Each structure stands twice: as structure tokens, then as C-alpha cells.
Amino acid sequence: MNKSKWIAVVVCLLLTAGAYIGSTGLFYTNFRPIRNYDLVAFATSWVGLIFMLVRDRRG
């Protein structure tokens, strides 16, 4: 993987962490369970990133 792909992975990790904290209220308010549509959004974004990395690798 080249530098731009690593940057994409790190940005996706940071956005996932930020969205998780915002969705659950972790560290700043009473903890709320994560919602199903948040889980779908997380899974979709990560599957899309993995798909693009695999597609880029093949050609």
C-alpha cells in the first residue's frame, strides 16, 4: 500500500471513532447504546473502503 492508501485508512479510522463518540455520547454525556443505522453506516463505509483497496490492488 502506498502513502495515499494509508492516509485513507487513517482518515476512515478517525471518522469512525468520531462518529462512534458522537453517536454514543462517550466521554461527554450519559452513554447511549449505538443505533442500528449507525452500525450499517460504519459497515458500509468500511466495506466500501476495503472494496476500493482490493480493486486498486488488482489493476
Side-chain angles (χ1 to χ4, degrees):
M1 283 190 358
N2 59 19
K3 186 177 179 180
S4 64
K5 290 179 185 176
W6 280 112
I7 291 172
V9 170
V10 169
V11 168
C12 202
L13 278 171
L14 291 174
L15 289 173
T16 300
Y20 178 79
I21 291 169
S23 176
T24 61
L26 192 64
F27 304 124
Y28 69 92
T29 187
N30 293 335
F31 183 79
R32 302 178 298 268
I34 195 159
R35 298 168 288 217
N36 287 337
Y37 61 88
D38 291 332
L39 292 174
V40 171
F42 292 152
T44 304
S45 64
W46 278 100
V47 167
L49 178 65
I50 291 168
F51 172 75
M52 292 191 63
L53 291 174
V54 169
R55 186 184 67 176
D56 232 19
R57 183 180 222 183
R58 288 187 183 167

